[in-house]
Amino acid sequence: MRNRNFQTKFISATGIRCKACWKCVETCPKDVIGKISFLFHKHAIIKNPGNCVGCLRCVSVCKYGVIGKGRLS
Ligand code: SF4
Ligand code: SF4
């Protein structure tokens, strides 16, 4: 199964909790976050992790607590 966790040097997230509101995609100034759609589920993914500058706008904008500061342990 595809790993639904994603991270950059500055943020990490668990896609399975994502509600696909796409706020983070719209907010990210560096086009780091993308969308992925399956038949019954869609969620945010990191498409350009190297572009992340750690502004943390995505963390602030996610109302569902999907994206957090720091890397996954
Ligand atoms: S803001 Fe949160 S819930 Fe919305 S698409 Fe991004 S990770 Fe998913
Ligand atoms: S920390 Fe900033 S640059 Fe990095 S993914 Fe979030 S919004 Fe984009």
Side-chain angles (χ1 to χ4, degrees), residues 4-20:
R4 289 177 175 175
N5 296 330
F6 64 78
Q7 63 184 355
T8 73
K9 271 169 66 178
F10 301 102
I11 54 109
S12 54
T14 302
I16 199 163
R17 289 164 58 194
C18 174
K19 305 297 183 198

Side-chain angles (χ1 to χ4, degrees), residues 6 13 17-25 33 43-44 58 61-67:
F6 64 78
R17 289 164 58 194
C18 174
K19 305 297 183 198
C21 71
W22 308 137
K23 296 277 189 204
C24 59
V25 178
I33 308 172
H43 64 85
C58 55
V61 82
C62 182
K63 292 179 183 157
Y64 302 98
V66 175
I67 310 177

